[in-house]
PDB file of all heavy atoms in Angstrom:
ATOM      1  N   SER A 198       0.607  11.802 -18.344  1.00  0.00           N
ATOM      2  CA  SER A 198      -0.724  12.279 -17.977  1.00  0.00           C
ATOM      3  C   SER A 198      -0.584  13.614 -17.299  1.00  0.00           C
ATOM      4  O   SER A 198      -1.503  14.483 -17.441  1.00  0.00           O
ATOM      5  CB  SER A 198      -1.389  11.252 -16.986  1.00  0.00           C
ATOM      6  OG  SER A 198      -0.646  11.195 -15.758  1.00  0.00           O
ATOM      7  N   THR A 199       0.421  13.863 -16.484  1.00  0.00           N
ATOM      8  CA  THR A 199       0.563  15.180 -15.820  1.00  0.00           C
ATOM      9  C   THR A 199       0.933  16.289 -16.737  1.00  0.00           C
ATOM     10  O   THR A 199       0.505  17.445 -16.559  1.00  0.00           O
ATOM     11  CB  THR A 199       1.540  15.072 -14.606  1.00  0.00           C
ATOM     12  OG1 THR A 199       2.828  14.660 -15.128  1.00  0.00           O
ATOM     13  CG2 THR A 199       1.057  14.181 -13.552  1.00  0.00           C
ATOM     14  N   SER A 200       1.605  16.009 -17.811  1.00  0.00           N
ATOM     15  CA  SER A 200       2.010  16.975 -18.760  1.00  0.00           C
ATOM     16  C   SER A 200       0.852  17.532 -19.511  1.00  0.00           C
ATOM     17  O   SER A 200       0.847  18.614 -20.038  1.00  0.00           O
ATOM     18  CB  SER A 200       3.088  16.462 -19.694  1.00  0.00           C
ATOM     19  OG  SER A 200       2.525  15.413 -20.467  1.00  0.00           O
ATOM     20  N   SER A 201      -0.222  16.793 -19.673  1.00  0.00           N
ATOM     21  CA  SER A 201      -1.397  17.199 -20.437  1.00  0.00           C
ATOM     22  C   SER A 201      -2.583  17.382 -19.554  1.00  0.00           C
ATOM     23  O   SER A 201      -3.719  17.448 -20.040  1.00  0.00           O
ATOM     24  CB  SER A 201      -1.684  16.115 -21.549  1.00  0.00           C
ATOM     25  OG  SER A 201      -1.973  14.893 -20.943  1.00  0.00           O
ATOM     26  N   SER A 202      -2.374  17.414 -18.259  1.00  0.00           N
ATOM     27  CA  SER A 202      -3.522  17.505 -17.323  1.00  0.00           C
ATOM     28  C   SER A 202      -3.573  18.864 -16.640  1.00  0.00           C
ATOM     29  O   SER A 202      -2.520  19.396 -16.228  1.00  0.00           O
ATOM     30  CB  SER A 202      -3.430  16.358 -16.297  1.00  0.00           C
ATOM     31  OG  SER A 202      -4.421  16.572 -15.282  1.00  0.00           O
ATOM     32  N   SER A 203      -4.743  19.383 -16.508  1.00  0.00           N
ATOM     33  CA  SER A 203      -4.916  20.682 -15.736  1.00  0.00           C
ATOM     34  C   SER A 203      -5.516  20.307 -14.345  1.00  0.00           C
ATOM     35  O   SER A 203      -6.635  20.770 -13.981  1.00  0.00           O
ATOM     36  CB  SER A 203      -5.898  21.605 -16.508  1.00  0.00           C
ATOM     37  OG  SER A 203      -7.093  20.965 -16.740  1.00  0.00           O
ATOM     38  N   PHE A 204      -4.786  19.382 -13.668  1.00  0.00           N
ATOM     39  CA  PHE A 204      -5.305  18.846 -12.421  1.00  0.00           C
ATOM     40  C   PHE A 204      -5.450  19.926 -11.361  1.00  0.00           C
ATOM     41  O   PHE A 204      -6.184  19.652 -10.369  1.00  0.00           O
ATOM     42  CB  PHE A 204      -4.366  17.759 -11.905  1.00  0.00           C
ATOM     43  CG  PHE A 204      -3.006  18.094 -11.730  1.00  0.00           C
ATOM     44  CD1 PHE A 204      -2.507  18.659 -10.623  1.00  0.00           C
ATOM     45  CD2 PHE A 204      -2.018  17.915 -12.820  1.00  0.00           C
ATOM     46  CE1 PHE A 204      -1.251  19.039 -10.475  1.00  0.00           C
ATOM     47  CE2 PHE A 204      -0.724  18.340 -12.658  1.00  0.00           C
ATOM     48  CZ  PHE A 204      -0.285  18.852 -11.422  1.00  0.00           C
ATOM     49  N   GLU A 205      -4.795  21.014 -11.466  1.00  0.00           N
ATOM     50  CA  GLU A 205      -4.860  21.998 -10.379  1.00  0.00           C
ATOM     51  C   GLU A 205      -4.347  23.309 -10.990  1.00  0.00           C
ATOM     52  O   GLU A 205      -3.691  23.391 -12.006  1.00  0.00           O
ATOM     53  CB  GLU A 205      -4.020  21.578  -9.236  1.00  0.00           C
ATOM     54  CG  GLU A 205      -4.242  22.231  -7.910  1.00  0.00           C
ATOM     55  CD  GLU A 205      -5.539  21.637  -7.249  1.00  0.00           C
ATOM     56  OE1 GLU A 205      -5.799  20.509  -7.461  1.00  0.00           O
ATOM     57  OE2 GLU A 205      -6.155  22.371  -6.450  1.00  0.00           O
ATOM     58  N   GLU A 206      -4.719  24.395 -10.271  1.00  0.00           N
ATOM     59  CA  GLU A 206      -4.300  25.715 -10.793  1.00  0.00           C
ATOM     60  C   GLU A 206      -2.758  25.788 -10.719  1.00  0.00           C
ATOM     61  O   GLU A 206      -2.106  25.128  -9.899  1.00  0.00           O
ATOM     62  CB  GLU A 206      -4.858  26.811  -9.950  1.00  0.00           C
ATOM     63  CG  GLU A 206      -4.517  26.780  -8.418  1.00  0.00           C
ATOM     64  CD  GLU A 206      -5.421  25.906  -7.621  1.00  0.00           C
ATOM     65  OE1 GLU A 206      -6.162  25.109  -8.234  1.00  0.00           O
ATOM     66  OE2 GLU A 206      -5.339  26.035  -6.411  1.00  0.00           O
TER      67      GLU A 206
END
Side-chain angles (χ1 to χ4, degrees):
S198 68
T199 55
S200 65
S201 59
S202 172
S203 57
F204 56 86
E205 200 78 26
E206 61 274 13

